[in-house]
Structures are given as structure tokens and as C-alpha cells.
């Protein structure tokens, strides 16, 4: 090995919290590829999307959860964690890769909008850093990640060796563990799907009303090139995501109207 070789610096975050099992699996895989620093929420932050903390101070505390790894828990959101990692924890050190997860639960299709896991990856992409969000289609705290660990390692290794375009975050989803082996990787588009939601009215012990959101996920997409199709057919799905939400196809139409 050359004396000039520099081990890659890998920043890890998530939205399930610094003590979630998924992040431990991710840390173990990334340690094989380089130096790891963890900055993750001090509590679950699922469904926070790209929220950031503005009206309250952020708390940052060093933790000794991962052997041989510099790690911190942060009182903020996943996006906050990446921001404070870049501007404070790492100081003038630029990560070679930012990875988020492994999330307990899918972040395919429209779920990417709500995902705290992907918000950490997209925040990194906004800073021009190569980034990946990893998610498993299993919400259980005892979820089995063993079938996806080699894929996590290999995907991260390939991105380190072949960085994607600046501003792009990879959204990687794994089917839940089953008796069948994963068939491989499919590069996909985001499926057209939605949540059909309703609010159930309940009453607390003081007879005051409160509301509980529930819903069913509906796949509106019958294409064979979507992330949902890949996952349903036991493939790992990878969708390149950008933070630019502009619908360029509609610009000319709007110019004619306005």
C-alpha cells in the first residue's frame, strides 16, 4: 500500500436513532471501507422529511456505542445531524461518502418525500457529497439485515470508486429477509404510488378529542422498471434522487398561460 494512501472518511447518520440496530449493521460494513464518524439523532425521527431545527438549540453529545468509532447523538433531525457534522464535528474535513440507515422500513416510491433517512442523504447531496440512503422493507426492531450486508458494502464501495453526479443521492431499498436469496440489483425509477389516508377520532381519559392518522399504501404503477416492482420481485432497488423538484416539462406550458 502506498504511503500516500488516505483512508476514505465516511459519515453515517439515520432517522431511527443512534441506538437503532440498523445503524450498527451499517457502521460495521462501512468500517471495512474507511474511517467512520457517526452523527445520528438521539431518538427516532422517522417521517420527519427534510425538517430542520430553527426555534430550539441543538444538543450534541459524544457516545461510546460503536467500538473504535467516533460517534455523537444529536437532539435534532437527520438533516440537522448532517449539517452539524459537516460544519462542526468534522470541521474542515470533507467526507468522501455520507450514508444513512439502515432504515427499519421501506423508503421506496413516494415514501422518499417523508423519509428522514433519505433527508440525511439528500442533505449531503445538497452539499455536493456522494451519498446513499439504505432501507429495509421490515419495520421490526428485530429485523434481519444479514441478507443485505454484502450489498451495502459493495454499493458503498462502488460509489467511493465511481462517485455519482454532484447533487444526486442514491435511494437503496432491500426486500425483507425471506427463504429466497436476493436476485441482484435493479436501477429503477420511483414508482407512482400514494397513501390513502384517514383520521380516526378518539377520546383521551379527560374526554377530549384527538386524532390518529392511518392509511393504506396504493401502488398505481404497473411498470416493470420501478422500485416497487423490483422489491416485489426480490431485487435490491436503487433510485437516483435529486433535491431539485422542478417539473421541467411544465415550464413551457406555464409560460403560455402566464
Amino acid at each position: 500500500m502506498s504511503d500516500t494512501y488516505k483512508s476514505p472518511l465516511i459519515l453515517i447518520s439515520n432517522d431511527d436513532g443512534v441506538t437503532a440496530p440498523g445503524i450498527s449493521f451499517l457502521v460495521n460494513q462501512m468500517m471495512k471501507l474507511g474511517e467512520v464518524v457517526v452523527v445520528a439523532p438521539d431518538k427516532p425521527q422517522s417521517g420527519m422529511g427534510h425538517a430542520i431545527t430553527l426555534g430550539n438549540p441543538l444538543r450534541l453529545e459524544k457516545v461510546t456505542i460503536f467500538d473504535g468509532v467516533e460517534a455523537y447523538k444529536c437532539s435534532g433531525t437527520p438533516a440537522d445531524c448532517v449539517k452539524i457534522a459537516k460544519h462542526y464535528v468534522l470541521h474542515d474535513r470533507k467526507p468522501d461518502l455520507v450514508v444513512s440507515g439502515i432504515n427499519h422500513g421501506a423508503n421506496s416510491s413516494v415514501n422518499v418525500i417523508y423519509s428522514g433517512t433519505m433527508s440525511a442523504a439528500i442533505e449531503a447531496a445538497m452539499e455536493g457529497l456522494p451519498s446513499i440512503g439504505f432501507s429495509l422493507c421490515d419495520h421490526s426492531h428485530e429485523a434481519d439485515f444479514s441478507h443485505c450486508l454484502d450489498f451495502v458494502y459493495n454499493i458503498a464501495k462502488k460509489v467511493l470508486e465511481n462517485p455519482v453526479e454532484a447533487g444526486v443521492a442514491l435511494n437503496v431499498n432491500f426486500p425483507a429477509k425471506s427463504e429466497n436469496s436476493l436476485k441482484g440489483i435493479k436501477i429503477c425509477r420511483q414508482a407512482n404510488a400514494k397513501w390513502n389516508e384517514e383520521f380516526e377520532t378518539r377520546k383521551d381519559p379527560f374526554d377530549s378529542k384527538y386524532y390518529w392518522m392511518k392509511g393504506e399504501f396504493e401502488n398505481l404503477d404497473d411498470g416493470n422498471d420501478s422500485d416497487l416492482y423490483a422489491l416485489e420481485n426480490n431485487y435490491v432497488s436503487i433510485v437516483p434522487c435529486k433535491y431539485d423538484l422542478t417539473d421541467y416539462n411544465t415550464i413551457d406550458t406555464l409560460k403560455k398561460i402566464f
Side-chain angles (χ1 to χ4, degrees):
M1 183 180 294
S2 170
D3 291 338
T4 61
Y5 175 79
K6 182 181 177 182
S7 179
L9 175 60
I10 303 173
L11 173 65
I12 296 180
S13 193
N14 74 348
D15 75 351
D16 290 317
V18 71
T19 60
I23 198 171
S24 293
F25 284 97
L26 187 55
V27 168
N28 289 337
Q29 294 304 102
M30 293 306 100
M31 287 177 68
K32 302 173 185 177
L33 291 170
E35 177 189 354
V36 170
V37 176
V38 175
V39 182
D42 60 4
K43 56 187 174 298
Q45 295 278 353
S46 296
M48 291 299 291
H50 212 98
I52 56 175
T53 301
L54 297 175
N56 296 297
L58 288 177
R59 310 285 182 183
L60 189 69
E61 182 180 342
K62 198 165 188 176
V63 294
T64 55
I65 297 174
F66 314 103
D67 290 340
V69 172
E70 182 181 355
Y72 302 83
K73 63 179 182 180
C74 176
S75 62
T77 67
D80 287 329
C81 290
V82 174
K83 286 179 180 291
I84 201 167
K86 178 180 184 294
H87 296 287
Y88 177 74
V89 174
L90 298 177
H91 301 290
D92 58 351
R93 302 178 67 199
K94 182 180 179 180
D96 296 287
L97 179 65
V98 179
V99 290
S100 182
I102 302 170
N103 189 63
H104 294 246
N107 279 315
S108 54
S109 185
V110 70
N111 295 308
V112 69
I113 296 294
Y114 305 107
S115 169
T117 298
M118 280 306 297
S119 78
I122 290 173
E123 178 64 33
M126 291 168 64
E127 296 283 356
L129 303 172
S131 61
I132 312 169
F134 291 106
S135 303
L136 175 69
C137 299
D138 187 339
H139 286 277
S140 171
H141 188 76
E142 292 77 29
D144 187 344
F145 296 91
S146 61
H147 63 304
C148 54
L149 297 185
D150 287 344
F151 284 96
V152 168
Y153 171 86
N154 288 322
I155 291 169
K157 185 174 185 291
K158 287 183 181 295
V159 172
L160 280 169
E161 295 170 345
N162 307 277
V164 296
E165 178 186 345
V168 174
L170 299 186
N171 183 17
V172 181
N173 280 269
F174 298 96
K177 181 71 179 287
S178 71
E179 59 184 20
N180 298 315
S181 299
L182 294 175
K183 295 178 180 178
I185 292 173
K186 279 192 176 293
I187 309 302
C188 310
R189 61 174 175 82
Q190 179 180 312
N192 177 25
K194 68 173 184 176
W195 284 95
N196 294 317
E197 298 158 338
E198 60 180 293
F199 287 86
E200 184 177 290
T201 303
R202 302 179 182 180
K203 287 191 174 182
D204 65 21
F206 302 98
D207 206 36
S208 295
K209 288 182 180 179
Y210 67 96
Y211 304 90
W212 198 273
M213 185 175 69
K214 60 182 183 179
E216 294 185 357
F217 189 69
E218 181 180 6
N219 183 5
L220 303 172
D221 202 315
D222 59 2
N224 62 5
D225 58 345
S226 75
D227 51 5
L228 290 181
Y229 178 90
L231 293 167
E232 288 169 358
N233 287 275
N234 209 33
Y235 285 93
V236 180
S237 69
I238 301 181
V239 177
C241 298
K242 299 191 77 170
Y243 54 86
D244 183 354
L245 300 180
T246 307
D247 182 1
Y248 291 94
N249 293 328
T250 306
I251 289 178
D252 289 338
T253 300
L254 291 176
K255 286 180 177 178
K256 294 176 183 177
I257 297 173
F258 297 100

